[in-house]
Amino acid sequence: MNFFHLKKTFRLPVTFNWILGGSFVSVLFSILKFFNTEGLEKVSYSELLLFLIVNAGTAIPINYQLANGRWNLQKWMKISFYFWHIPMLLFNAWLTVQVPDFLFVMLTALYGSYLAPFGMMERRYFIFGALIYSLCLFLFYFTGIAGTSPIRFSDRTLVIFFFIFVLTILLYFYWMSITSGFLKSQSSKVQKLLRSSRKDKRKLSEERKTIEELMAQLKKSFDIIKKDLLTAKRIQKSMLPAGFEKYSDLDIRAEYIPRDEVGGDFYDITRTNEGVYRLFLADATGHGVQGALITMAIKVGYEFLKQSAKRPGEILEILNSEFIEKFKSLNLYYTCILVDLDLTKGILRYSSAGHPEQVLMQNSEFLTLPNMGRMIGLSSASIYKDKILKIHPEDRILLFSDGLFEVPNLRKEFYGEKRLHNLLKREKEKSSQELVDIILEDVEKFTDGNVFQDDLTVISLRISKDSSIR
């Protein structure tokens, strides 16, 4: 082995990326395991050492052949995919199952390994790699061969979450394959155009036409990304409840307006018994794709609890504990409010976590539902108390996310609570449908076309005059 070529091998960015990435995962988890970090019990030092050895032991000789010119780029891609990428995909999937609390670390390492040959690797390698990784996750999660409890097909929520997760991975790698292939094919075309322009400037018009074609292809790539986001938007919209007209005791209208294609608000309205309803509204930190991913986690956690007989404060404490356990290393939070309406007893019981004051209107009386505790994910010691209020026929409840208060106009003034409360007092006789429309129209008028800075959810609920309240 020639020392000059070996030195050249280590100077290759792809060699540095692969070895550094593998070392980072192995060393990071080894340090965390040494300090008894929760979530790493199933990973052994020998597995981490094996990963480091296999990573460096395959990357160096493969890239050495590229550095000394014995392999062309096409041969290097094929061999590196089968002898480096596939083993790393298998280990990454294995480790993802073993350390679910560090899912984002493993996904970052996975994406990072593909970024090194980005623009050189052919599309089929990205697609084939994504399929292999997804198949590994399916086998590890559903068969239990990784030593973890297998997911049962009867666990509908977990199965749905798994397939949405895998679909996201497939879409991401499909997009990477298109972009990488585009960069690979267009790089040679651009170089050819530059050489032609030096030889003959009379071909300038032809080169301009080619560049326009490249821009059209680039637009096509962005259109694919936009299409993926629209798919994600439809998926998120399908998570929200509908068909409120079946609740004869209540007049309900709910409207959700994300700031981007997808957003970080989530709500649910469920009838838990005859004359008993449960309302839940959550507002995750951030918006866009980050907020949407958090709402998926919120929905999964809430689905197991929404039919529970526990009081609202107890449910929030469970949600808080589970959310911290899963995402404590990511500094993620959300506010929420949980309201139980018992029309048979004529009472409202609620608890909230860092959520802004909501509104309860009773005839001429205007009441608020103040915050009862800290945001979910902030502290495992958080305690959430309940508050009970008497309710009557034709009482109205308005729930909303803080995006309603924080809508700015062109003068950087916020919509604010005072403006909302004055509007509600003026329009208290309106139906839920009409009231929500009036609120949204007033917000649009206030902003004068200014783009929303946050996701916005508004839920209006009015108890029917003929409800079962005694």
Side-chain angles (χ1 to χ4, degrees):
M1 184 174 287
N2 186 286
F3 177 77
F4 173 77
H5 291 313
L6 183 63
K7 184 178 180 181
K8 190 176 179 181
T9 300
F10 281 99
R11 287 183 175 179
L12 288 175
V14 67
T15 306
F16 180 76
N17 175 273
W18 284 352
I19 295 179
L20 181 63
S23 302
F24 172 78
V25 174
S26 299
V27 173
L28 173 65
F29 285 169
S30 297
I31 294 174
L32 294 175
K33 184 173 178 61
F34 179 78
F35 288 100
N36 298 319
T37 302
E38 185 178 352
L40 294 172
E41 298 83 4
K42 296 182 180 180
V43 180
S44 65
Y45 290 111
S46 59
E47 289 176 325
L48 297 172
L49 179 61
L50 178 63
F51 172 62
L52 185 61
I53 294 174
V54 172
N55 178 52
T58 54
I60 294 173
I62 289 174
N63 293 333
Y64 178 82
Q65 300 299 325
L66 180 65
N68 64 20
R70 293 182 182 177
W71 290 352
N72 59 27
L73 191 59
Q74 186 176 9
K75 184 176 182 180
W76 171 83
M77 281 191 297
K78 180 182 292 186
I79 294 177
S80 65
F81 179 78
Y82 288 108
F83 291 92
W84 188 88
H85 273 284
I86 290 182
M88 294 303 104
L89 287 171
L90 294 174
F91 184 85
N92 187 286
W94 175 274
L95 201 55
T96 298
V97 176
Q98 300 296 320
V99 289
D101 289 350
F102 296 88
L103 173 64
F104 282 84
V105 174
M106 297 315 302
L107 289 180
T108 301
L110 175 66
Y111 296 156
S113 68
Y114 273 88
L115 289 177
F118 195 69
M120 298 185 294
M121 187 176 287
E122 296 177 0
R123 287 182 56 184
R124 57 194 174 108
Y125 293 117
F126 284 97
I127 298 173
F128 189 32
L131 293 174
I132 291 175
Y133 184 71
S134 301
L135 179 61
C136 290
L137 288 179
F138 180 84
L139 292 175
F140 292 156
Y141 276 117
F142 285 84
T143 64
I145 62 176
T148 58
S149 299
I151 296 176
R152 303 299 180 190
F153 284 98
S154 58
D155 297 335
R156 183 179 178 186
T157 302
L158 292 178
V159 171
I160 292 174
F161 181 80
F162 172 81
F163 280 106
I164 292 176
F165 172 59
V166 170
L167 177 62
T168 303
I169 292 175
L170 291 173
L171 288 175
Y172 185 85
F173 277 97
Y174 177 68
W175 173 79
M176 286 187 71
S177 72
I178 293 176
T179 308
S180 182
F182 171 77
L183 292 176
K184 178 178 169 60
S185 62
Q186 304 315 314
S187 176
S188 61
K189 290 184 179 180
V190 171
Q191 291 176 9
K192 184 178 179 179
L193 287 174
L194 290 174
R195 288 194 298 267
S196 299
S197 65
R198 296 189 188 101
K199 294 178 181 179
D200 191 356
K201 291 185 178 182
R202 289 177 299 179
K203 295 182 180 180
L204 182 61
S205 59
E206 181 182 347
E207 293 173 4
R208 183 180 295 112
K209 181 179 179 180
T210 304
I211 292 174
E212 289 174 355
E213 292 175 355
L214 299 183
M215 293 300 296
Q217 294 184 42
L218 182 61
K219 181 181 181 299
K220 184 178 179 180
S221 296
F222 281 114
D223 288 342
I224 292 173
I225 298 173
K226 185 177 181 180
K227 182 179 179 181
D228 291 342
L229 286 174
L230 289 174
T231 301
K233 181 179 181 179
R234 287 194 292 268
I235 292 173
Q236 187 178 42
K237 186 176 181 179
S238 68
M239 293 166 51
L240 301 175
F244 301 131
E245 61 274 2
K246 63 186 176 182
Y247 300 147
S248 59
D249 290 333
L250 302 174
D251 172 26
I252 303 174
R253 165 77 187 282
E255 189 69 37
Y256 172 43
I257 305 175
R259 196 196 81 162
D260 303 313
E261 295 295 338
V262 290
D265 286 1
F266 170 74
Y267 67 86
D268 186 83
I269 302 173
T270 305
R271 181 165 59 188
T272 59
N273 210 334
E274 189 65 32
V276 181
Y277 298 86
R278 173 163 285 166
L279 291 72
F280 181 69
L281 172 60
D283 182 1
T285 54
H287 37 73
V289 175
Q290 174 189 324
L293 290 174
I294 299 176
T295 61
M296 291 172 61
I298 296 172
K299 176 177 173 58
V300 171
Y302 180 68
E303 280 292 324
F304 290 102
L305 297 169
K306 69 179 184 180
Q307 293 291 347
S308 168
K310 298 180 182 296
R311 62 178 180 81
E314 291 175 322
I315 293 177
L316 295 192
E317 289 175 3
I318 295 173
L319 289 174
N320 181 61
S321 177
E322 292 180 349
F323 192 79
I324 290 177
E325 182 180 352
K326 292 178 181 178
F327 305 108
K328 60 183 177 182
S329 61
L330 302 177
N331 294 324
L332 301 177
Y333 316 99
Y334 68 91
T335 69
C336 65
I337 181 169
L338 183 61
V339 179
D340 282 351
L341 291 177
D342 191 336
L343 303 185
T344 62
K345 298 179 180 178
I347 61 171
L348 176 153
R349 181 193 294 266
Y350 86 95
S351 185
S352 61
H355 209 68
E357 288 188 346
Q358 309 292 278
V359 176
L360 170 63
M361 291 182 286
Q362 297 181 331
N363 295 326
S364 59
E365 192 172 3
F366 190 88
L367 305 176
T368 58
L369 306 181
N371 175 39
M372 302 295 288
R374 291 181 286 191
M375 290 191 296
I376 300 295
L378 195 61
S379 171
S380 58
S382 296
I383 297 175
Y384 301 96
K385 297 181 180 179
D386 291 351
K387 187 172 182 179
I388 301 175
L389 298 170
K390 186 69 176 175
I391 53 176
H392 314 86
E394 297 195 349
D395 282 359
R396 162 168 280 141
I397 301 169
L398 189 75
L399 304 181
F400 45 86
S401 58
D402 62 6
L404 181 58
F405 290 162
E406 297 173 358
V407 177
N409 60 16
L410 297 177
R411 296 184 297 276
K412 305 301 181 182
E413 299 170 339
F414 290 105
Y415 188 78
E417 298 180 24
K418 185 176 180 180
R419 185 183 180 99
L420 175 64
H421 292 175
N422 290 336
L423 183 147
L424 294 176
K425 291 175 182 177
R426 292 195 310 267
E427 309 293 346
K428 61 182 180 180
E429 300 301 327
K430 301 293 185 181
S431 67
S432 293
Q433 174 80 32
E434 293 171 327
L435 182 62
V436 172
D437 289 339
I438 290 171
I439 292 173
L440 295 179
E441 288 173 6
D442 192 56
V443 170
E444 185 175 357
K445 179 180 178 182
F446 174 79
T447 59
D448 196 20
N450 195 24
V451 179
F452 287 5
Q453 300 300 308
D454 199 358
D455 306 315
L456 173 60
T457 299
V458 181
I459 302 173
S460 176
L461 179 149
R462 188 171 190 173
I463 301 173
S464 172
K465 182 187 298 185
D466 301 323
S467 67
S468 54
I469 294 181
R470 297 171 184 172

